[in-house]
Amino acid sequence: MTDAILTLAAWPYANGPRHIGHVSGFAVPSDVFARYQRMAGNDVLLVSGTDEHGTAIQVKADAEGLTARQTADKYHQIIVEDLAGLGLSYDLYTRTTTLNHREVVQELFRSLHRNGYVVAKRQLGAISPSTGRTLADRYIEGTCPFCGDPGARGDQCDNCGRQLDPSDLGDPHSRIDGEVPVFVETEHFFLDLPAVADALRAWLATRQDWRPNVIRFSEQFAKELQPRAITRDLDWGIPVPVEGWEDEQLKRIYVWFDAVIGYLSASIEWARRTGDPDAWKKWWVGGGARSYYFMGKDNITFHSVIWPSILLGANGQGSMGGTPSAFGVLDLPTEIVSSEFLTMSGSKFSSSRNKVIYVRDFLREFGPDALRYFIAVAGPENQDTDFTWDEFVRRTNFELANEWGNLVNRSISMAHKNNGAIPPAHALTDADRALLEASRAAFGAIGELLGRAKFKAAISEAMRIVGLANKYLSDCEPWKLKDDTDRRDTVLHVALQVVQDCNTLLTPLLPHAAQKVFEALGGEGVWAAQPELVEVSEPGAEAPYPVLRGDYVNQQAVWLSKPIAVGTPLAKPTPIFTKLDPKLAETGPEWAPIG
């Protein structure tokens, strides 16, 4: 039976290139998951886009002498190219500056306002004394009044998970330039979180299979819900669709509110571009789909508390009641799949603090699959993980090149040399049967792990089968069986069958290498489809813009063990992975040196 699987990756912010810490949270895990689900025969929709509104964009624009729009255009282009280079199989990767996104955000805002979950009230707003602009909550740091953590943000404390306002902080200061903000009274619209609190907590109580860090942060945050501002004094953002506010040039919808709605707006845009405007409903309405949201841990509460609260209010399912938005009763998330932080020398990756390895630089020198592999097998799935060049070199050389790459190369090389094609199997021994059975059984075990987003365990199991196959070849020594060609051919047949199986098992993780291995085994056509970067337009828009999309339905990769085709011609293989210079472990590359 085919399941509908909605896969949603957090929206990277358009104020600079993405570094490898970013993509370890939202990008690679969501793609591995989506690729597996497609191979398993499920109906997958993977969408995301670039988050392009808010104070940070304007700050970056000022620093570079650009307009906010020019800044968003510049970094959207860079980000979309980097994500394409990583091979992220989006059905649509778009942006929040589209007219479609504006319409969807404004409709949900109006629905919340009509249902009574958005209310106007006055508050103290933080203003930069040098620019006169509002400072976004996330750009103010200070001491948490509850736990005393000195690095709390103006919206929440990551240490204790409590919801905050900038004026709550001790020693508040701007993360941009260190200025002490001025607090002035201003009127804004607030999302009335207490009005959906009972419904939200009841729903959270059913989410006990989430990762422990997600449950912990979400339950803590939901204990003390307060109304939360969803507009800001700013000129770069979506206009407030309420009478008397629409013409306000310095009142805009807060970026955190508009960004999470991007999951819905991107799905709607995807549907329109397929020619079936209602196609998105399969994944959003009626409870027939499962939805998985991928992100880093600093985004947990926006997806596990704030976004579900928006959905509950827009559905009319809070204490105020109400009628659903024009989109109908929208489904709440099935699971929030959050990763911890990928660090560098013990510190969180930070462009401003020069602790950064940009995706573009990494792809240029090492290609996509080495990074994808490192994130899956050594990344921050359940705890903060330190990236080191030593560990990267070790994983690449000893696991990808020596273990997996060597198994592929020597199996195909021997068959090419002795047979010129995939040889037949003759009488099987117990050793042959044991390896083939282990390889076939791995599909069930690894599929279950990938379906639960347990990537480390999945890759470890796949590499265990690779190790068994390497041991099998070493034990059987087919290169010595010159006088027993039937036995030699049987060993090579078994080895090639397991190579094909392992390639299938590793395809969600290593799609580029998987295509090469597929071709080395004599395959033709597209095994693992890649995204395409294309320019699109929409009615009423000023200019076309780049997006990612792709044809993943017609790829050949499926999640099962297929018998290899005896007689398929084999050419002399070339190495799938290039070993790295061991000195890199000590020095790092020129563009990210150690020390």
Side-chain angles (χ1 to χ4, degrees):
M1 179 179 176
T2 299
D3 293 332
I5 305 293
L6 178 61
T7 309
L8 304 158
W11 293 54
Y13 209 48
N15 64 337
R18 297 301 88 185
H19 55 62
I20 65 172
H22 290 133
V23 299
S24 71
F26 78 89
V28 172
S30 62
D31 183 63
V32 173
F33 182 80
R35 284 182 179 276
Y36 160 70
Q37 294 289 357
R38 292 191 189 102
M39 290 175 66
N42 292 322
D43 203 354
V44 174
L45 179 62
L46 171 59
V47 296
S48 185
T50 308
D51 183 3
E52 299 183 348
H53 291 130
T55 302
I57 304 299
Q58 189 62 66
V59 169
K60 189 68 171 182
D62 291 346
E64 297 191 354
L66 302 172
T67 66
R69 181 70 199 211
Q70 288 170 334
T71 301
D73 288 345
K74 173 183 175 179
Y75 288 110
H76 174 68
Q77 181 72 45
I78 291 173
I79 291 169
V80 81
E81 290 174 358
D82 288 351
L83 300 185
L86 269 173
L88 306 183
S89 58
Y90 291 106
D91 292 284
L92 180 68
Y93 181 92
T94 180
R95 60 195 306 187
T96 58
T97 48
T98 66
L99 297 178
N100 168 74
H101 179 69
R102 174 186 290 197
E103 292 169 1
V104 175
V105 170
Q106 289 184 331
E107 168 57 23
L108 286 189
F109 191 105
R110 282 191 294 266
S111 299
L112 288 162
H113 186 257
R114 182 183 66 248
N115 288 341
Y117 299 101
V118 165
V119 294
K121 59 182 289 190
R122 302 191 71 80
Q123 71 159 177
L124 290 177
I127 304 295
S128 165
S130 62
T131 67
R133 292 198 187 101
T134 296
L135 280 171
D137 293 351
R138 286 199 150 201
Y139 276 81
I140 303 171
E141 281 185 344
T143 302
C144 175
F146 297 101
C147 71
D149 186 85
R153 299 193 309 266
D155 56 353
Q156 73 180 52
C157 175
D158 284 340
N159 186 57
C160 67
R162 291 178 185 265
Q163 180 182 355
L164 301 173
D165 285 321
S167 57
D168 295 332
L169 298 172
D171 186 29
H173 54 275
S174 168
R175 293 174 58 195
I176 301 167
D177 53 19
E179 279 188 324
V180 176
V182 175
F183 291 96
V184 298
E185 191 174 73
T186 183
E187 186 176 33
H188 283 292
F189 280 110
F190 284 68
L191 179 63
D192 189 0
L193 291 173
V196 297
D198 289 344
L200 175 71
R201 290 171 188 146
W203 171 74
L204 279 175
T206 68
R207 307 289 94 190
Q208 295 307 308
D209 57 343
W210 289 2
R211 291 180 177 178
N213 66 327
V214 179
I215 293 175
R216 183 177 67 253
F217 270 91
S218 304
E219 290 180 342
Q220 179 63 43
F221 194 92
K223 285 179 181 178
E224 301 174 357
L225 292 177
Q226 301 294 326
R228 193 178 184 97
I230 57 174
T231 60
R232 270 294 177 259
D233 295 313
L234 188 68
D235 60 356
W236 177 243
I238 295 176
V240 182
V242 174
E243 186 176 354
W245 288 63
E246 292 172 307
D247 297 327
E248 285 276 357
Q249 295 302 308
L250 290 176
K251 295 286 186 184
R252 291 292 184 267
I253 292 175
Y254 205 169
V255 64
W256 68 259
F257 179 87
D258 107 55
V260 291
I261 297 173
Y263 301 115
L264 175 62
S265 70
S267 302
I268 292 172
E269 181 184 348
W270 165 82
R272 290 174 177 170
R273 296 194 181 284
T274 67
D276 182 1
D278 291 330
W280 65 272
K281 293 180 180 179
K282 177 177 182 177
W283 286 273
W284 283 94
V285 178
R290 302 197 306 273
S291 56
Y292 299 83
Y293 293 69
F294 289 81
M295 72 211 63
K297 67 180 177 182
D298 52 342
N299 270 324
I300 289 174
T301 51
F302 283 98
H303 293 80
S304 66
V305 175
I306 302 298
W307 176 227
S309 296
I310 292 171
L311 293 170
L312 289 167
N315 290 343
Q317 294 172 323
S319 63
M320 307 289 291
T323 58
S325 72
F327 305 117
V329 177
L330 298 168
D331 298 337
L332 273 63
T334 301
E335 184 167 352
I336 307 299
V337 187
S338 166
S339 298
E340 302 292 299
F341 287 140
L342 185 66
T343 60
M344 186 175 180
S345 299
S347 299
K348 182 181 175 183
F349 275 96
S350 170
S351 303
S352 62
R353 297 170 185 169
N354 203 30
K355 287 184 177 294
V356 64
I357 299 173
Y358 288 118
V359 170
R360 178 156 297 199
D361 294 331
F362 205 104
L363 292 177
R364 183 181 62 249
E365 185 150 348
F366 305 113
D369 280 355
L371 177 57
R372 291 174 65 107
Y373 182 81
F374 183 91
I375 288 172
V377 76
E381 184 175 307
N382 292 308
Q383 62 184 19
D384 290 353
T385 302
D386 206 36
F387 176 89
T388 66
W389 288 110
D390 178 71
E391 182 71 357
F392 174 69
V393 170
R394 187 183 73 79
R395 295 282 187 180
T396 301
N397 286 353
F398 292 98
E399 295 176 15
L400 285 181
N402 285 1
E403 291 292 315
W404 175 226
N406 185 50
L407 174 64
V408 173
N409 191 271
R410 65 174 176 163
S411 300
I412 296 176
S413 291
M414 285 187 283
H416 162 73
K417 178 181 178 181
N418 290 289
N419 307 87
I422 294 177
H426 300 282
L428 296 179
T429 67
D430 289 344
D432 302 335
R433 295 188 187 92
L435 179 60
L436 290 171
E437 178 54 33
S439 183
R440 285 192 294 266
F443 282 86
I446 295 173
E448 182 182 0
L449 290 167
L450 290 175
R452 292 188 289 136
K454 294 185 178 296
F455 305 117
K456 283 190 176 185
I459 188 62
S460 296
E461 180 62 15
M463 293 304 289
R464 186 182 72 84
I465 304 302
V466 170
L468 291 177
N470 274 315
K471 184 178 184 304
Y472 169 82
L473 279 177
S474 297
D475 291 345
C476 294
E477 298 180 316
W479 52 88
K480 293 184 177 180
L481 299 174
K482 296 178 181 180
D483 296 329
D484 189 352
T485 56
D486 280 1
R487 179 60 190 154
R488 181 199 66 200
D489 289 355
T490 299
V491 171
L492 293 178
H493 179 97
V494 170
L496 290 172
Q497 177 65 62
V498 177
V499 165
Q500 179 172 280
D501 286 351
C502 287
N503 192 50
T504 302
L505 295 170
L506 291 167
T507 293
L509 178 70
L510 306 172
H512 304 83
Q515 180 68 37
K516 294 178 182 178
V517 175
F518 170 75
E519 293 170 0
L521 287 168
E524 297 180 350
V526 177
W527 171 256
Q530 296 296 331
E532 298 177 4
L533 199 164
V534 297
E535 291 244 321
V536 299
S537 59
E538 63 176 349
E542 295 180 6
Y545 56 96
V547 301
L548 293 180
R549 59 189 187 190
D551 175 14
Y552 312 109
V553 174
N554 294 312
Q555 67 177 12
Q556 297 179 58
V558 291
W559 194 258
L560 56 84
S561 175
K562 288 184 174 181
I564 52 175
V566 173
T568 301
L570 296 175
K572 183 178 181 180
T574 56
I576 302 298
F577 299 102
T578 302
K579 293 187 72 171
L580 303 176
D581 186 339
K583 291 182 180 178
L584 181 69
E586 302 173 3
T587 64
E590 291 183 2
W591 43 269
I594 295 173

